[in-house]
């Protein structure tokens, strides 16, 4: 089954008529237990469940309206993109899933994280676009169904439909209708995320390509599903108990194991730069000095820190350029 069939099923009996311009917001998210490996590449269905934290004020605002002609017109952070731009092509391919005959979309999308902040914008971008399309067409879909649609744009986008901690369920169905994101009720106001930028350069290998390559060639991938399931259970227990040391240790280990899979692939892949290794060593040195801080790294060279609010001063001293986010600020 392909994405078009899923869309047809989810939108059966719903409006397909474009309405007035619509806008929506979605937060970026950081995986604590990573999504690494697809069981279905067309539907972005994961091999394992994953757990993320949404990054509060960092995310994407997207506005959708009908374009004056049949072509899509995409602007990113107030700059109009060429239709040949890969980002534009990815959006247009996603929009094709919903496009009434002859309709072009005018999409204005803007990220609140500085470009190159080391936080992926594809998750918040596809989530905000899906929410805006829901209003634009008047689908009136619930978040569960919207998370399925957002996943078709980018897997991790399904988790950006919610604030706070979010679980993306693996699901078992071949059509993926049970592979949805759900919010966890737990709030942890004291938790902070620090963004340490190692380089703003675009990554040489997409997460999509690297994921497929590791699943195919890394011998160690065989052990990953059980490992990820155990990490997820441990993280949920640590969150329930507000056990920061346990929480941080599991998230850090999960990320390092994911990068270990990349090293085990043939040929191997390595996203880290010298600055990445330096940041890892600095985090470990801080910890040896008694500062409660752990790290996680996505498919790129930049490092994200996890720490309680009380460690903020020590973190700023060690990483003067760090950007600190309070993911639960303002959440009830
Ligand atoms: O959704 P994608 O294709 O951008 O993949 C995301 C992969 C990681 O960021 C490394 C892990 C995750 O769970 O977000």
């Amino acid at each position: 089954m392909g994405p078009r069939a899923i869309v047809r099923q989810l939108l059966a009996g719903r409006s397909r008529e474009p309405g007035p311009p619509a806008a929506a917001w979605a937060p970026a998210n950081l995986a604590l237990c990573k999504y690494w490996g697809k069981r279905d590449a067309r539907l972005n269905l994961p091999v394992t469940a994953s757990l993320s934290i949404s990054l509060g004020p960092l995310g994407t605002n997207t506005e959708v309206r009908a374009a004056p002609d049949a072509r899509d017109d995409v602007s990113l952070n107030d700059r109009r993109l060429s239709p040949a731009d890969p980002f534009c092509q990815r959006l247009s391919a996603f929009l094709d899933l919903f496009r009434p005959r002859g309709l072009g979309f005018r999409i204005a999308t803007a990220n609140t994280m500085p470009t190159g902040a080391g936080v992926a914008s594809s998750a918040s971008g596809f989530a905000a676009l899906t929410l805006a399309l829901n209003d634009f067409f008047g689908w009136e879909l619930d978040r569960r169904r919207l998370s399925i649609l957002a996943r078709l744009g980018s897997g991790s986008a399904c988790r950006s439909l919610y604030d706070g901690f979010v679980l993306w369920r693996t699901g078992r169905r071949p059509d993926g209708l049970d592979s949805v994101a759900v919010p966890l009720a737990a709030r942890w106001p004291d938790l902070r995320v620090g963004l340490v930028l190692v380089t703003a350069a675009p990554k040489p290998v997409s997460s999509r390509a690297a994921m497929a390559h590791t699943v195919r060639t890394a011998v160690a991938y065989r052990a990953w599903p059980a490992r990820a399931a155990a990490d997820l259970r441990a993280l949920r227990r640590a969150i329930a108990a507000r056990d920061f040391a346990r929480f941080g240790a599991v998230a850090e280990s999960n990320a390092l194991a994911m990068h270990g899979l990349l090293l085990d692939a043939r040929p191997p892949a390595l996203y880290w730069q010298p600055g990445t290794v330096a940041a890892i060593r600095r985090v470990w040195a801080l910890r040896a000095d008694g500062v409660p801080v752990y790290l996680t790294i996505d498919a790129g060279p930049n490092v994200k820190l996890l720490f309680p609010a009380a460690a903020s001063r020590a973190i700023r001293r060690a990483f003067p350029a760090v950007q600190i986010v309070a993911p639960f600020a303002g959440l009830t």
Side-chain angles (χ1 to χ4, degrees):
M1 190 176 277
R4 279 178 196 280
I6 302 300
V7 169
R8 214 174 303 126
Q9 201 165 326
L10 286 180
L11 298 184
R14 306 210 178 228
S15 154
R16 292 284 204 145
E17 286 302 309
W25 153 262
N29 76 75
L30 175 65
L32 303 165
C33 180
K34 307 292 185 191
Y35 149 55
W36 199 255
K38 305 182 194 206
R39 67 173 195 280
D40 183 318
R42 291 177 72 201
L43 300 178
N44 291 333
L45 293 178
V47 173
T48 66
S50 57
L51 179 76
S52 63
I53 184 167
S54 286
L55 295 183
L58 301 186
T60 304
N61 276 302
T62 297
E63 195 187 81
V64 175
R65 59 178 73 214
D69 56 29
R71 270 191 303 260
D72 292 339
D73 171 343
V74 178
S75 67
L76 172 62
N77 299 332
D78 289 327
R79 232 193 59 223
R80 211 153 156 213
L81 298 182
S82 140
D85 187 288
F87 177 72
C88 208
Q89 303 222 324
R90 217 172 140 198
L91 282 196
S92 285
F94 181 67
L95 291 166
D96 284 345
L97 296 172
F98 314 105
R99 191 186 305 278
R101 196 182 293 275
L103 182 77
F105 292 93
R106 176 173 283 182
I107 308 289
T109 187
N111 298 325
T112 56
M113 55 272 193
T115 305
V119 176
S121 57
S122 66
S124 53
F126 278 104
L129 178 57
T130 304
L131 286 163
L133 288 169
N134 184 51
D135 279 2
F136 181 65
F137 286 112
W139 294 331
E140 298 184 345
L141 290 172
D142 56 24
R143 296 248 160 181
R144 177 189 166 90
R145 288 181 177 83
L146 290 171
S147 86
I148 296 173
L149 294 181
R151 162 166 56 73
L152 300 176
S154 169
S156 54
C158 71
R159 298 186 310 235
S160 277
L161 268 282
Y162 301 99
D163 286 311
F165 291 117
V166 183
L167 173 70
W168 173 12
R169 295 201 167 112
T170 326
R172 299 169 78 99
R173 295 170 58 122
D175 62 10
L177 292 182
D178 54 354
S179 182
V180 296
V182 290
L184 301 187
R187 296 283 181 254
W188 201 338
D190 193 43
L191 191 64
R192 296 290 179 273
V193 173
L195 309 176
V196 176
L197 187 67
V198 170
T199 167
K203 54 188 167 197
V205 184
S206 70
S207 52
R208 188 166 286 206
M211 221 184 260
H213 175 65
T214 1
V215 174
R216 224 177 23 246
T217 67
V219 175
Y221 192 79
R222 282 179 215 146
W224 175 255
R227 164 72 201 259
D231 286 349
L232 184 61
R233 275 193 304 273
L235 275 170
R236 294 191 69 172
R237 272 199 303 270
I239 290 171
R242 304 292 187 277
D243 180 345
F244 177 75
R246 181 88 192 119
F247 170 81
V250 175
E252 178 170 308
S253 178
N254 180 271
L256 295 177
M258 183 195 96
H259 287 270
L261 295 176
L262 286 154
L263 286 174
D264 191 41
R266 297 172 201 192
L270 180 61
Y271 280 111
W272 298 359
Q273 297 293 335
T276 314
V277 176
I280 294 171
R281 292 201 180 283
R282 209 172 310 153
V283 168
W284 290 350
L286 282 168
R287 218 151 65 214
D289 280 349
V291 180
V293 54
Y294 294 84
L295 63 94
T296 179
I297 307 173
D298 286 317
N302 300 309
V303 177
K304 285 92 175 181
L305 311 178
L306 301 165
F307 53 94
S312 298
R313 268 167 67 113
I315 299 299
R316 276 192 207 286
R317 243 193 326 265
F319 296 95
V322 68
Q323 184 180 353
I324 299 181
V325 180
F328 292 96
L331 296 189
T332 47

